[in-house]
Amino acid sequence: MILLQNKWVFTVLNFGLIAIIFLLFSSSYELVKLIDILFYFCFFYLSIGLLLWIIKGGFFDAITYSFRRVANRTTKNSDYMDDFEKKPLPSKVLNRKNVNFFLFQGSAMLFTLLLLLAAYYY
């Protein structure tokens, strides 16, 4: 499990998985098919990474606090010992390491995708 904590090892594993998917499921071995598969993986990692980055930045903290406050005041069977102000906000729950992991994987795939696109068009 210590190998999976290294971001470069996980990047190589991702590219190996992309190669296996390309070899198994592609009817014709063309560069365009490889670029398509790489785009799907890149889109997944960058989407999750950017969403986590926005959450970690505190964008949803005020909304979460407001919903907790309204829910605390409107529920009839609320636990009076449960203080909604002491619950952690979404930006405090996320670990910066997880955000960086997804952004690194996505950017590595994006860089490779751009290189393959340049090779295809030129």
Side-chain angles (χ1 to χ4, degrees):
M1 282 319 231
I2 196 76
L3 287 176
L4 293 180
Q5 292 178 353
N6 188 351
K7 61 184 175 182
W8 293 104
V9 171
F10 206 81
T11 304
V12 170
L13 288 175
N14 274 331
F15 283 118
L17 180 65
I18 290 169
I20 290 171
I21 290 173
F22 173 69
L23 292 174
L24 290 177
F25 296 112
S26 182
S27 59
S28 62
Y29 300 129
E30 297 176 358
L31 187 59
V32 175
K33 303 282 185 180
L34 180 63
I35 289 171
D36 289 342
I37 294 170
L38 187 60
F39 171 76
Y40 291 131
F41 274 80
C42 177
F43 180 74
F44 170 75
Y45 277 106
L46 283 180
S47 297
I48 299 296
L50 290 175
L51 178 67
L52 291 176
W53 185 47
I54 290 169
I55 292 171
K56 184 65 180 165
F59 184 77
F60 295 110
D61 286 350
I63 297 168
T64 304
Y65 180 79
S66 299
F67 275 114
R68 286 179 185 169
R69 186 173 178 186
V70 168
N72 190 22
R73 290 189 182 203
T74 58
T75 55
K76 295 180 181 181
N77 296 332
S78 65
D79 185 13
Y80 293 109
M81 299 300 288
D82 186 27
D83 192 14
F84 71 95
E85 293 179 352
K86 292 185 180 180
K87 289 183 180 178
L89 294 171
S91 64
K92 304 298 181 201
V93 173
L94 282 178
N95 187 1
R96 186 61 143 173
K97 191 175 181 181
N98 295 336
V99 177
N100 290 339
F101 169 77
F102 280 101
L103 288 177
F104 178 78
Q105 296 297 321
S107 61
M109 289 183 196
L110 181 65
F111 179 72
T112 307
L113 180 68
L114 292 175
L115 286 176
L116 289 175
L117 281 171
Y120 179 73
Y121 282 114
Y122 296 109

